[in-house]
Amino acid sequence: MNSGAPGPLAVGRVKFFGRHRGEVNSSAFSPDGQRLLTASEDGCVYGWETQSGRLLWRLTGHAGPVKFCRFSPDGRLFATTSHDCTIRLWDVAEAKCLSVLKGHQRSVETVSFSPDGKQLASGGWDRRVMLWEVQSGQMLRHLGGHRDSIQSSDFAPSSDSLATGSWDSTICIWDLRMGTPVTFHQELEGHSGNISCLCYSASGLLVSWVALGSRLAPSGSRPMGLELSAVQASGSWDKTIHIWKPSTRGLLVQLKGHVTWVKSIAFSPDGSQLASAGYSHMVKVWDCNTGKCIQTLKGVLDVAHACAFTPDGKLLVSGAADQARCQVHCSIKSPRASRI
């Protein structure tokens, strides 16, 4: 963990991406931040060059609204999910569909690549989690346990476990190691709403978001200095962010400050900061060592679908400015020039 205090962030240049024919449901940055994916209600997925705003492709194939999109860890592939109950795997260089994954019975709301890029996890309205082999497109496992629709997912850095968040207000941690029972999982409880996003830090911390109020509320008598050796974050419609230590099922800290639900959270490359954005005109940046909100960037987006830190520490945030227009903000560390 880098204990040095990172420089402040300032809102830089804004770019607009306005060729959609329907509402933008999701967006995702490539690992290097050079490309942006947008998933639209019009049934298409769009690829953009982040710096210039140039449209690279508009891809059809889904038979319904595209609900979610995500790049693979190496940036060579991306996956999209749809109301048509399928997941599509695409090749970035060729901008073509490689395979269509079928098995879900209702709309697919989330998809995640394992860190090694070998597996894909999906979930949706049918309450089922499905694991797929990326290379072959074959389904490997079906995981049942949630009592309502699945909205979010992320693999642990080691690829041996998967976290999923649901409208049932729980997070399931699935043990994916060979030889373990398919149904083995543990539940993290504490949110009181739909868990709209969650992510692991590089060290294994888990952060979740549920979509209440405006100050930090530590869990129990835990010290404010967090031990970030193995942690996860989650966000929910109860307007709180939770930072978890999955190995002990312990809630390390609860972050409060958003007035609407959060749609996206992201750790900085060194894990020292957490950015959160959602259905409001603000993005918050938190110090993961103290649990304090260190910056609030205002006037950014109507709806923020995705936020991501680039390897050099820039924070990219994308979302909808209106029904069919996506915009990207670059928040940079002062005193750098405001370029994406």
Side-chain angles (χ1 to χ4, degrees), residues 42-75:
D42 64 14
C44 300
V45 57
Y46 297 76
W48 311 84
E49 189 176 77
T50 308
Q51 185 172 356
S52 68
R54 181 170 65 95
L55 178 64
L56 301 173
W57 61 70
R58 175 181 176 270
L59 302 176
T60 61
H62 280 296
V66 185
K67 304 302 288 293
F68 195 78
C69 56
R70 184 168 285 184
F71 277 98
S72 63
D74 62 8

Coordinates of all heavy atoms in Angstrom, one line a residue, residues 42-75:
D42 N -30.9 0.8 -27.9 CA -31.3 0.5 -29.3 C -30.8 -0.8 -29.8 O -31.0 -1.2 -31.0 CB -30.7 1.7 -30.2 CG -29.2 1.7 -30.1 OD1 -28.5 0.8 -29.7 OD2 -28.6 2.7 -30.6
G43 N -30.2 -1.6 -28.9 CA -29.8 -3.0 -29.3 C -28.4 -3.1 -29.8 O -27.9 -4.1 -30.3
C44 N -27.7 -2.0 -29.8 CA -26.3 -1.9 -30.4 C -25.3 -1.7 -29.3 O -25.6 -1.1 -28.3 CB -26.2 -0.9 -31.5 SG -27.3 -1.1 -32.9
V45 N -24.0 -2.1 -29.6 CA -22.9 -1.7 -28.8 C -22.0 -0.8 -29.6 O -21.7 -1.1 -30.8 CB -22.2 -3.0 -28.2 CG1 -21.7 -3.9 -29.3 CG2 -21.0 -2.6 -27.3
Y46 N -21.5 0.2 -29.0 CA -20.7 1.2 -29.7 C -19.3 1.2 -29.1 O -19.1 1.1 -27.9 CB -21.3 2.6 -29.6 CG -22.6 2.8 -30.2 CD1 -23.8 2.3 -29.5 CD2 -22.8 3.5 -31.4 CE1 -25.0 2.5 -30.1 CE2 -24.1 3.7 -31.9 CZ -25.2 3.2 -31.3 OH -26.4 3.3 -31.8
G47 N -18.3 1.4 -30.0 CA -16.9 1.5 -29.6 C -16.4 2.9 -30.0 O -16.6 3.3 -31.2
W48 N -15.7 3.5 -29.1 CA -15.2 4.9 -29.3 C -13.7 5.0 -29.0 O -13.2 4.3 -28.1 CB -16.0 5.9 -28.4 CG -17.4 5.8 -28.5 CD1 -18.2 4.9 -27.7 CD2 -18.4 6.5 -29.3 NE1 -19.6 5.1 -28.0 CE2 -19.7 6.1 -29.0 CE3 -18.2 7.5 -30.2 CZ2 -20.8 6.6 -29.6 CZ3 -19.3 8.0 -30.8 CH2 -20.6 7.6 -30.5
E49 N -13.1 5.9 -29.6 CA -11.7 6.3 -29.2 C -11.9 7.4 -28.2 O -12.4 8.5 -28.4 CB -10.9 6.8 -30.5 CG -9.5 7.1 -30.2 CD -8.7 7.5 -31.4 OE1 -8.9 8.7 -31.8 OE2 -8.1 6.6 -32.1
T50 N -11.4 7.1 -27.0 CA -11.6 8.1 -25.9 C -11.1 9.4 -26.1 O -11.7 10.5 -25.8 CB -11.0 7.5 -24.6 OG1 -11.5 6.1 -24.4 CG2 -11.4 8.3 -23.4
Q51 N -9.8 9.5 -26.6 CA -9.2 10.8 -26.8 C -9.8 11.7 -27.8 O -10.1 12.9 -27.6 CB -7.7 10.6 -27.1 CG -6.9 11.9 -27.2 CD -5.4 11.7 -27.3 OE1 -5.0 10.6 -27.3 NE2 -4.7 12.8 -27.4
S52 N -10.2 11.1 -29.0 CA -10.7 11.9 -30.1 C -12.2 12.0 -30.1 O -12.8 12.9 -30.7 CB -10.2 11.4 -31.4 OG -10.8 10.1 -31.7
G53 N -12.9 11.0 -29.5 CA -14.3 10.9 -29.5 C -14.8 10.2 -30.8 O -16.0 10.2 -31.1
R54 N -13.9 9.7 -31.6 CA -14.2 9.1 -32.9 C -15.0 7.8 -32.7 O -14.6 6.9 -31.9 CB -13.0 8.9 -33.7 CG -13.2 8.3 -35.1 CD -12.0 8.4 -36.0 NE -10.9 7.5 -35.4 CZ -10.7 6.3 -35.8 NH1 -11.4 5.7 -36.7 NH2 -9.7 5.6 -35.3
L55 N -16.1 7.6 -33.4 CA -16.8 6.3 -33.4 C -16.0 5.3 -34.2 O -15.7 5.4 -35.4 CB -18.2 6.5 -34.0 CG -19.0 5.2 -34.1 CD1 -19.4 4.7 -32.7 CD2 -20.4 5.5 -34.8
L56 N -15.6 4.2 -33.5 CA -14.9 3.1 -34.2 C -15.8 2.0 -34.8 O -15.5 1.5 -35.8 CB -13.9 2.4 -33.1 CG -12.9 3.3 -32.5 CD1 -12.2 2.6 -31.4 CD2 -11.9 3.9 -33.5
W57 N -16.9 1.7 -34.1 CA -17.8 0.8 -34.6 C -19.2 0.9 -33.9 O -19.3 1.5 -32.9 CB -17.3 -0.7 -34.4 CG -17.1 -1.1 -33.0 CD1 -18.0 -1.3 -32.0 CD2 -15.8 -1.3 -32.3 NE1 -17.5 -1.6 -30.8 CE2 -16.1 -1.6 -31.0 CE3 -14.5 -1.2 -32.7 CZ2 -15.1 -1.9 -30.0 CZ3 -13.5 -1.4 -31.8 CH2 -13.8 -1.8 -30.5
R58 N -20.2 0.4 -34.6 CA -21.5 0.3 -34.1 C -22.0 -1.1 -34.5 O -22.2 -1.5 -35.7 CB -22.5 1.3 -34.7 CG -23.9 1.1 -34.3 CD -24.8 2.2 -35.0 NE -26.2 2.0 -34.7 CZ -27.1 1.2 -35.5 NH1 -26.6 0.6 -36.5 NH2 -28.3 1.1 -35.1
L59 N -22.1 -2.0 -33.5 CA -22.2 -3.4 -33.7 C -23.6 -3.9 -33.4 O -24.2 -3.6 -32.3 CB -21.2 -4.2 -32.9 CG -19.8 -3.9 -33.1 CD1 -18.9 -4.7 -32.2 CD2 -19.4 -4.2 -34.6
T60 N -24.2 -4.6 -34.3 CA -25.6 -5.2 -34.1 C -25.4 -6.7 -33.8 O -24.4 -7.3 -34.0 CB -26.4 -4.9 -35.3 OG1 -25.8 -5.6 -36.4 CG2 -26.6 -3.5 -35.6
G61 N -26.5 -7.3 -33.4 CA -26.5 -8.7 -33.2 C -27.5 -9.1 -32.1 O -28.2 -10.1 -32.2
H62 N -27.5 -8.4 -31.0 CA -28.5 -8.6 -30.0 C -29.9 -8.3 -30.4 O -30.1 -7.4 -31.2 CB -28.2 -7.7 -28.7 CG -27.1 -8.3 -27.9 ND1 -27.1 -9.5 -27.2 CD2 -25.8 -7.7 -27.6 CE1 -26.0 -9.7 -26.5 NE2 -25.2 -8.6 -26.7
A63 N -30.8 -9.2 -29.9 CA -32.2 -9.0 -30.4 C -33.0 -8.2 -29.3 O -34.3 -8.3 -29.3 CB -32.8 -10.4 -30.6
G64 N -32.4 -7.4 -28.5 CA -33.0 -6.6 -27.5 C -32.0 -5.6 -27.0 O -30.9 -5.5 -27.4
P65 N -32.5 -4.8 -26.1 CA -31.6 -3.7 -25.5 C -30.3 -4.4 -24.9 O -30.3 -5.4 -24.3 CB -32.4 -3.1 -24.4 CG -33.9 -3.4 -24.8 CD -33.8 -4.7 -25.5
V66 N -29.2 -3.7 -25.1 CA -27.9 -4.1 -24.5 C -27.8 -3.5 -23.1 O -27.9 -2.3 -23.0 CB -26.7 -3.7 -25.4 CG1 -25.4 -4.3 -24.9 CG2 -26.9 -4.2 -26.9
K67 N -27.7 -4.4 -22.1 CA -27.8 -4.0 -20.7 C -26.4 -3.6 -20.1 O -26.3 -2.8 -19.2 CB -28.5 -5.0 -19.9 CG -29.9 -5.4 -20.4 CD -30.8 -4.2 -20.5 CE -31.3 -3.7 -19.2 NZ -32.1 -4.7 -18.5
F68 N -25.4 -4.4 -20.5 CA -24.1 -4.2 -19.8 C -23.0 -4.6 -20.7 O -23.1 -5.3 -21.7 CB -24.1 -5.1 -18.6 CG -23.0 -4.9 -17.6 CD1 -23.1 -3.8 -16.7 CD2 -21.8 -5.6 -17.5 CE1 -22.1 -3.5 -15.8 CE2 -20.8 -5.4 -16.6 CZ -21.0 -4.3 -15.7
C69 N -21.8 -4.0 -20.5 CA -20.6 -4.3 -21.3 C -19.3 -4.2 -20.4 O -19.3 -3.5 -19.5 CB -20.5 -3.3 -22.5 SG -20.5 -1.6 -22.0
R70 N -18.3 -5.0 -20.8 CA -17.1 -5.0 -20.1 C -16.0 -5.6 -20.9 O -16.1 -6.5 -21.7 CB -17.2 -5.8 -18.8 CG -16.0 -5.8 -17.9 CD -16.3 -6.4 -16.5 NE -17.0 -5.5 -15.7 CZ -17.3 -5.8 -14.4 NH1 -16.9 -6.9 -13.8 NH2 -18.0 -4.9 -13.7
F71 N -14.8 -4.9 -20.8 CA -13.6 -5.4 -21.5 C -12.9 -6.6 -20.7 O -13.1 -6.7 -19.5 CB -12.5 -4.3 -21.6 CG -12.8 -3.3 -22.8 CD1 -13.4 -2.1 -22.6 CD2 -12.3 -3.7 -24.0 CE1 -13.6 -1.2 -23.6 CE2 -12.5 -2.8 -25.1 CZ -13.1 -1.6 -24.9
S72 N -12.2 -7.4 -21.4 CA -11.4 -8.4 -20.8 C -10.2 -7.7 -20.2 O -9.8 -6.6 -20.6 CB -11.0 -9.5 -21.8 OG -10.1 -8.9 -22.8
P73 N -9.5 -8.4 -19.3 CA -8.3 -7.8 -18.6 C -7.2 -7.4 -19.6 O -6.5 -6.4 -19.3 CB -7.8 -8.9 -17.6 CG -9.0 -9.7 -17.4 CD -9.8 -9.7 -18.6
D74 N -7.0 -8.1 -20.7 CA -6.0 -7.7 -21.6 C -6.5 -6.8 -22.7 O -5.7 -6.3 -23.5 CB -5.3 -9.0 -22.3 CG -6.3 -9.8 -23.1 OD1 -7.5 -9.4 -23.3 OD2 -6.0 -10.9 -23.5
G75 N -7.8 -6.4 -22.7 CA -8.3 -5.5 -23.6 C -8.5 -6.0 -25.0 O -8.9 -5.3 -25.9

